[in-house]
Structure formats: C-alpha cells, structure tokens
Amino acid sequence: MTQTADIDPITLAVLAGRMEQIADEMDATLFRAAFNPIIAEAHDASHGLYHALSGDTLVQGKSGLPIFVGVMSFAVKAVIDKAAEHGEVHDGDIYIFNDAHLGGTHLSDMRLVRPYFRDGQLFCYLASVGHWHDVGGAVPGNYNPAATDAFQEAFVLPPVRLARGGQVNTDIIDILMRNTRLPQSAMGDLNGQLGALDLGVRRMDELLDEYGTDTVSAALDALGHRAEALMRAELTALPDGRWEAVDFLDNDGITDVALPIKVALEIKGDTMVLDFDGTAPRCAGPVNIALPTAVATAYVAIKHIFPALPANAGVMRPIKVRIPEGSLLSAEFPAPVGGYTETILRMIDVIFAAAGQAAPDRVVANAYGTINALSIAGKRKNGQPWVMFSFYGGGHGGSPEGDGLNHGNAPISTATIPPLEILEAAYPVMFRQWALRPDSAGAGAHRGGLGAVYEIEVLEENGAEAFLFGERGHFAPKGAAGGGEAAMNVFSYEQADGWHHPPLASKMRGIKLVQGQAVRLETPGGGGYGAASLRDPKAVARDVALGLISADEADKAYGTAWKGAQA
C-alpha cells in the first residue's frame, strides 16, 4: 500500500480538490432536485465522505452547512454501530434516520448514509443530510417552541436500512410519507438525496479508476494528518492561558427564565480545552441539544476563528471539548432538541468571547444570534395543507477589518435566506416589508451590521396559524474590544385590536391570523468592534445619510463630530 509519506504535495492537492469537488457536486445535485425551498433555495443540506471504520469526516463540500461537518460524523458512526448489529454492510445498502440524539441537530434533518465499496471492500461512507419541510409532530415545520419531549417535535426514525444491496424497501418510504403533512415535498427531497448518493458513487469510481485505491486511501490519511498539524501550529502561535465567557438564552419556551451558557477556554502549547462547566442543566423546553451537536458546534466556532483550516476531523484532534453531564448541551432522548440552532449560536458567541480575550484580532463581535424560525401554516380552499417555514437574517458583528455584514445569515451555515419572490409564489402570503432595520447595529470603531424588518401578511381566506422560535429577545448581541451592543429581537403579530408581543418575547405557538393580518420580525443587528469614539466621523455621516442610523442615535453613540464631516 502507498504510504502517506509517498504522496507528493501536488498529487495530494489534486486529490483533495477532486474529492471536495465530488462533495460539491453532490450538494449541487440535491439543490437542483429538492422540492422544498429550505434545501433548493436556502441550501440547508450537506454531503461528504467519511472514514470506513471511525466515521470521521474526511471531506465535505463547500456549500454544505458547517454544523454538519461534525454531526454527520456522529451520524455515520451511528450507522456503523447499527450495521454491526446486522452483521455486516453490503454494497448498495443505504441507511436513513432523523434521530437527533444519535446524529445531532434536530429531527427535521433527514440523514442518508451509504457505504462505498471498491473491489468488494468497504472503502468509505458517503452521506447526505437535508432539512425536510415537515416530518410530523405538533407544529407544522417542526419548530415547536413549547415541546417538552421529542415526540411533540416530529416523527422519530432510528437508523434503518432503506435499501439492501441496491433494493429499496418501499415499506420504509410508506412510513415516511405517512408521517408528513407534505408527502410530495418529502418524496422529492428523498429522491434528490438518493440521486446525490448515486452520483457520489459514480464519481468515486471514476477517481479510483484514475488514481488507484492505495493512492487515494493514503491521500485521505495524509489530509487528516495535515489538518491536525495546521491546527497545532495555529494554537502554538497563541498565548498560553485560560479565559472565560458567559451568555444567556432568553428562556426554554416553557418558563421565562434565562439559561446561562458558559465556557472556559484554555490553551497550553499546541492543545486547547473548551470546558462548558457552569452551563444550565437540561431544561423542559426545546433549547436542549444532543452531545454530537455540542461537539460539532465547537468545531464550527474553531473553523471561524481559524478560517484556513480544512473540513476534516483532524482539526479537532488537539482540542478537547468537555460537556457536563446533565447540562442542556448533552440532552438524552427523549429530551426536546428542536431549537438547537438557537443554542449553538450562543455556544459560538461564548467561544468567540473567550477567544477574543486571547486573540482579539481573530474574532468578530456577536452576530444577531437567532435564526427566527417562523412557520405560517393553514389550508387552501381545496383543503390541501400548506406550510411556509423559513429562517430570517440579521446583522453580523463588526471585526478588526471593518463593519459587520448587513442582513446576513447565521454563522452556523452557508445557507441563504429564501428570496421573498420564491416564498410569495409558493405560499398564500405577501411581504409588506423586507428591509434593513435602522439603528439596529452595535456602535464601534467598526459598527455591526444592520438587522432586518420583515412583515408578512396572510392572503389565504381560510386564515393561518403562526409559530415562532427565536432568541435574543432579552439579551442583546454583544460587542467586542469595547464595541457596543446591538438592538434586540422584536416579534409582533396583528390581531383585530392591534399589534401584540408574545409573553416569552422570542417564542410563541399557535398565533391565529385571519386573512389580511400579519406578523412582523425586527431582527437584531451585530455587535460593534472597538470603541465608538474611534469611528471615523465621515463613516458615521455616511451611515446617517444612507438612513442606516438616525441622527439622534448617531449623536448618542458617536457624539456630534460626524456633523462636521458631512459632505
């Protein structure tokens, strides 16, 4: 067999690019084939190659969500364990499941795992994950802010064999389609994922035909070693020490009590420890997350702090992640975990805050910190159900290099916000407003990005119900290096007697809307970076002229020097 040392740098780079291209092409195949906009438009999906024995991530596509890099490794490991119960895996087998406690994230993310064989031997695993539009449960779209167990969130499917030796078990498909409000959408997404896996097999065949099994296998080993070496070099360049940070979730959706998430970051030489001792215990509501999700989130944060690192499990070898038992970061089945997005965003915020004390030039201020998962659902005149589920953007934090991005997506993903034209064409709604939110950015030498205002009116004469799962309604996104906080999240909904706000600020279930009534999201901005007194007055004057900040707010945050800098 070819040894790792025998792979010259050029061949290694070519093979790394080829394998990443395979994952990229699998991503693109699903994006083109998927029926629901969360995959087709927002790209809430991912594909990759995984180690045959350990399930570790080898390669992931650039378009896939970063959070899936780590959690899909756990998903593949769950399939390896399940396959061991069956005795062995076969060429053409495909496993499917959505159990978040085994594979991470939440029950909306359907995972397909397929062993790839070469010359009768297991070479690696290919995996596909995509956010299905609806998988049963009490709330259309599955973001149930009041869930107290997983069964109230969605239909739970453990790892089962969808195909054996290339023969699909249609009984499994029948069960899946019976447990969704939108079977046509689910069937389209399933076929898209199966097609992506088929393409991955063909591309792997072509790659191994060209380079040989030994060379590609050695390259995969070399990529892991290189990722580890790069991470150790990055850590060695930082000072040794221990730094702590804490932030809070608004509540668990059941009781309006804040939940702390705390981290201690310690660096010694070429190693790092992330210790989350002091984080809130498991809660009643769905802001718990499973252990695989917590570990994967640590990887996402590290990848942001060290952006040159590859999507490979070797990155995490020098890093120990300590998650306390019984905490909301290590919830066990059947604890609800549907709102995982909100919790992992706060994990990233505290990791950034701790790392910023060690290396302020490597981090950014808090982004807006919530995906604002909003479902609006009802029935059309013909009785057919419709479910508009989407997530919404906000401002990113200021950085050492400049102002934060206005109206971006959450830093847990490379997904995009579905265009309003797509949403209006697919569902009986109209966006009265889709705009930047003035005065929402944190002040700083480099200000945060602006949040957004979305106002969505129901057009269906049968009316609809709305469900919101968000955060940052009580705790604002923080600045860094002396920067200011951003505006908090504000949700309101229209009724016959005017506009109202939910009691839990950022979460609400079953808001009944009649035709012509609307919901409004005013999303947070990003925190500022550096002291506001250091901001160029000309930049403040420009922001005021563009309507990004009001004159009164500019005076409060930056003083009046900007008035003399007006053109």
Side-chain angles (χ1 to χ4, degrees), residues 309-368:
L309 297 173
N312 185 285
V315 166
M316 294 301 289
R317 291 174 190 167
I319 300 172
K320 179 177 289 187
V321 182
R322 294 176 180 162
I323 307 295
E325 290 186 17
S327 78
L328 62 79
L329 305 182
S330 58
E332 298 180 351
F333 185 80
V337 295
Y340 89 98
T341 49
E342 309 308 293
T343 305
I344 67 176
L345 285 167
R346 207 61 64 252
M347 280 186 70
I348 291 172
D349 286 342
V350 296
I351 293 173
F352 277 13
Q357 298 171 54
D361 59 321
R362 288 180 175 265
V363 301
V364 299
N366 285 174
Y368 63 106

Side-chain angles (χ1 to χ4, degrees), residues 13 32 48 86 140-141 270 339 368 425 461 470 552:
R32 289 194 297 266
H86 291 163
D270 63 353
Y368 63 106
E461 65 181 38
D552 286 346

Side-chain angles (χ1 to χ4, degrees), residues 16-31 46-50 58-64 126-127 196 199-200 203-204:
R18 283 283 296 271
M19 288 183 283
E20 187 176 274
Q21 185 180 29
I22 290 171
D24 285 344
E25 195 173 354
M26 292 170 72
D27 283 343
T29 297
L30 177 57
F31 299 156
S46 182
H47 297 83
L49 280 62
Y50 301 85
L58 300 173
V59 175
Q60 180 179 315
K62 295 186 294 295
S63 299
L126 305 175
L199 179 130
R203 294 294 184 261
M204 286 297 295

Side-chain angles (χ1 to χ4, degrees), residues 20 40 46 82 153 177 245 255 267 277 283 290 320 342 362 386 388 401 422 455 473 494 499 501 535 559-560 566:
E20 187 176 274
S46 182
K82 185 69 174 183
E153 295 181 315
M177 296 307 115
T255 306
I267 297 174
D277 187 40
C283 58
K320 179 177 289 187
E342 309 308 293
R362 288 180 175 265
W386 62 276
M388 189 190 86
E401 297 181 359
I422 296 295
E455 192 169 309
E494 198 172 13
W499 288 89
H501 301 290
R535 186 162 180 79
T560 58
Q566 288 177 300

Side-chain angles (χ1 to χ4, degrees), residues 124-488:
C124 69
Y125 283 88
L126 305 175
S128 170
V129 58
H131 182 125
W132 285 18
H133 209 153
D134 183 271
V135 282
V139 169
N142 307 119
Y143 265 84
N144 182 355
T148 55
D149 64 41
F151 304 109
Q152 296 171 11
E153 295 181 315
F155 164 63
V156 183
L157 183 70
V160 294
R161 193 146 40 188
L162 177 64
R164 180 183 177 90
Q167 292 296 115
V168 173
N169 184 348
T170 57
D171 289 344
I172 300 296
I173 295 178
D174 290 343
I175 293 170
L176 289 168
M177 296 307 115
R178 194 66 168 175
N179 281 277
T180 173
R181 296 170 178 86
L182 303 168
Q184 184 179 18
S185 173
M187 194 69 208
D189 295 343
L190 174 60
N191 283 330
Q193 289 183 264
L194 291 171
L197 291 174
D198 284 342
L199 179 130
V201 168
R202 294 197 300 274
R203 294 294 184 261
M204 286 297 295
D205 285 343
E206 293 167 1
L207 180 67
L208 293 175
D209 286 345
E210 184 174 351
Y211 284 92
T213 303
D214 289 349
T215 299
V216 176
S217 180
L220 290 171
D221 288 341
L223 290 173
H225 295 314
R226 185 178 69 169
E228 178 182 358
L230 288 171
M231 183 75 259
R232 291 190 185 278
E234 294 278 12
L235 293 174
T236 300
L238 298 179
D240 286 358
R242 177 184 171 91
W243 302 270
E244 296 184 358
V246 64
D247 206 336
F248 298 86
L249 296 170
D250 291 343
N251 50 61
D252 67 353
I254 308 298
T255 306
D256 199 14
V257 175
L259 302 168
I261 294 181
K262 184 178 181 180
V263 70
L265 184 155
E266 185 173 3
I267 297 174
K268 288 184 178 180
D270 63 353
T271 64
M272 175 189 287
V273 176
L274 293 169
D275 189 344
F276 288 88
D277 187 40
T279 293
R282 172 184 160 177
C283 58
V287 295
N288 301 291
I289 62 175
L291 181 63
T293 309
V295 175
T297 302
Y299 171 83
V300 174
I302 294 300
K303 188 73 172 68
H304 277 83
I305 296 169
F306 307 103
L309 297 173
N312 185 285
V315 166
M316 294 301 289
R317 291 174 190 167
I319 300 172
K320 179 177 289 187
V321 182
R322 294 176 180 162
I323 307 295
E325 290 186 17
S327 78
L328 62 79
L329 305 182
S330 58
E332 298 180 351
F333 185 80
V337 295
Y340 89 98
T341 49
E342 309 308 293
T343 305
I344 67 176
L345 285 167
R346 207 61 64 252
M347 280 186 70
I348 291 172
D349 286 342
V350 296
I351 293 173
F352 277 13
Q357 298 171 54
D361 59 321
R362 288 180 175 265
V363 301
V364 299
N366 285 174
Y368 63 106
T370 174
I371 72 164
N372 273 324
L374 177 65
S375 294
I376 304 177
K379 289 189 176 181
R380 301 180 188 270
K381 292 179 185 178
N382 62 6
Q384 288 295 311
W386 62 276
V387 180
M388 189 190 86
F389 169 81
S390 188
F391 38 79
Y392 296 87
H396 281 219
S399 74
E401 297 181 359
D403 295 344
L405 177 69
N406 296 329
H407 188 217
N409 205 355
I412 56 173
S413 77
T414 52
T416 60
I417 304 158
L420 71 86
E421 294 85 356
I422 296 295
L423 296 175
E424 288 184 337
Y427 310 109
V429 300
M430 178 181 70
F431 280 79
R432 294 178 183 171
Q433 192 172 5
W434 178 302
L436 294 179
R437 180 187 177 189
D439 293 338
S440 59
H446 295 147
R447 63 158 173 78
L450 271 68
V453 180
Y454 308 90
E455 192 169 309
I456 309 166
E457 179 182 334
V458 173
L459 302 181
E460 175 56 56
E461 65 181 38
N462 291 329
E465 281 189 298
F467 307 82
L468 177 73
F469 202 132
E471 271 291 332
R472 289 297 192 196
H474 290 324
F475 299 93
K478 297 178 181 179
E485 293 183 344
M488 288 187 287

Side-chain angles (χ1 to χ4, degrees), residues 531-555:
S533 60
L534 300 177
R535 186 162 180 79
D536 184 348
K538 291 182 180 179
V540 179
R542 181 195 63 213
D543 288 347
V544 173
L546 292 173
L548 305 181
I549 182 173
S550 66
D552 286 346
E553 187 61 30
D555 287 347

